[in-house]
Amino acid sequence: MHPTARAEYDPLPRTYLNTAGYGLPTAATVAALEEALAAWRAGSADWVNDWDVLGERCRAAAGPLLGAPVDEIALLPAVSVGASVALGGLAPGDEILTAEGEFASILLPALVAARYRGATVRQVPFDALADHVGPRTALVATSQVRSNDGRMQDIPAVAAAARSVGAAVLVDATHAAGVLPVDAEALGLDFVLVAAYKHLLCPRGVALMRIARDRWESVPPAVASWRSAGDAYAHYYGPTLADLADSAGRYDVSLAWHAWVGAVPALEFLGGVPAGERRDWCVSLADETATLLGLPPTGSSVLAVPVSPRDEAAAALRTAGIVTSVPPPAGTGADAQVRLSFHLYNDMSQARHVADVLAPFVPQNPGGRPR
């Protein structure tokens, strides 16, 4: 366990390696939620000052984690909402370039934009995305880290290729933010989306979006609500578009209060650990596991391990007290995989332990070594 995490995490009764499924809450997050729930039950909470305004602390904490100005961070409930908003600025005939097998919360809004707005969607190999940017491309949409196998996109190359044709870039950083640098402003990423209940350790229902200021005029705040006003608590009735916030707050969606109450200590905890330490700690655990199993490291904190037989591997993990994701094979003849994902509450002994448990199930190459 990372030294800073020790104050927030008691030793777990099992080895939890499924942060890509959901992150574990800090002790401060649990305490904040318990206090909020008690006040809700007692009817003693001031919903504005005790709950809703905490969204602003989340916005402030999220800016550095995404490498973006705080006033360009919108507060949303899910990645798909942000993707749909970003795609709302497209015109008929605009091309959306994305990777084959992209995650549904990015791909489906793109396909909806194609059907109902007249855009087109072109899907190309993930590793060659930058090479396929062309003169018709209006927006490139990609994951920074693929959630199924941990592969990393070459975001600088994608951003440079997009800039060369005047295209926008949308990055789903859900499996990067909190572990890897995102650098939204430095790389010119117009839209960065994060589901915060995974590597950002927040309750589910918290999502964040960086939307660059120079996109505000062309991307309508299609989900605008009372919270999208500059002075949200003064504009419940009869506002005009002139009242929209002069910040990415114009794209905010009404907050599910208790999720955001719990998000404050999670985001502030992560912000208290230097970015390089977060990256080095989490990625080194995945890299060590990959090396021990004879697999290529991904460079992220997520690693997919091919296993056979699947059910026996899953049973061995359960017996060893290791929590992972063991999805069914993607199709007939496809390899089964165990997905491992590491965070600050893991350590090297756990990485070596899971490698020992999985080694007998990793398919062998003709030389008898794990491939």
Side-chain angles (χ1 to χ4, degrees), residues 196-218:
Y197 71 94
K198 299 191 178 191
H199 307 275
L200 290 180
L201 310 178
C202 296
R204 187 170 169 88
V206 174
L208 302 158
M209 178 167 100
R210 187 269 171 130
I211 177 166
R213 179 176 284 271
D214 60 7
R215 295 290 174 180
W216 296 355
E217 288 302 315
S218 60

Side-chain angles (χ1 to χ4, degrees), residues 99-168:
E100 295 169 349
E102 185 54 76
F103 189 68
S105 292
I106 298 297
L107 180 58
L108 285 175
L111 295 175
V112 168
R115 173 174 292 186
Y116 294 99
R117 300 184 62 84
T120 63
V121 176
R122 184 159 58 99
Q123 301 180 58
V124 302
F126 179 78
D127 295 329
L129 190 64
D131 297 334
H132 286 270
V133 174
R136 293 185 59 246
T137 305
L139 183 140
V140 185
T142 183
S143 297
Q144 182 169 349
V145 173
R146 295 216 104 168
S147 62
N148 58 339
D149 57 21
R151 282 187 295 156
M152 293 176 59
Q153 183 59 266
D154 188 345
I155 297 297
V158 168
R163 282 196 301 272
S164 73
V165 298

Side-chain angles (χ1 to χ4, degrees), residues 246-285:
D246 184 26
S247 71
R250 63 178 53 199
Y251 298 97
D252 284 3
V253 173
S254 296
L255 306 184
W257 290 320
H258 300 143
W260 293 86
V261 167
V264 170
L267 296 173
E268 293 180 350
F269 160 72
L270 288 171
V273 180
E277 286 188 27
R278 283 186 266 118
R279 178 196 62 226
D280 292 347
W281 185 274
C282 301
V283 173
S284 68
L285 300 178

Side-chain angles (χ1 to χ4, degrees), residues 15 17 281-290 292-293 303 322 340 342 346-358:
T15 298
L17 302 179
W281 185 274
C282 301
V283 173
S284 68
L285 300 178
D287 286 355
E288 175 73 1
T289 307
L292 291 172
L293 293 173
L303 176 69
I322 300 173
L340 310 175
F342 300 85
N346 300 124
D347 60 33
M348 199 61 75
S349 68
Q350 294 175 329
R352 292 165 182 158
H353 179 43
V354 74
D356 287 342
V357 172
L358 289 178

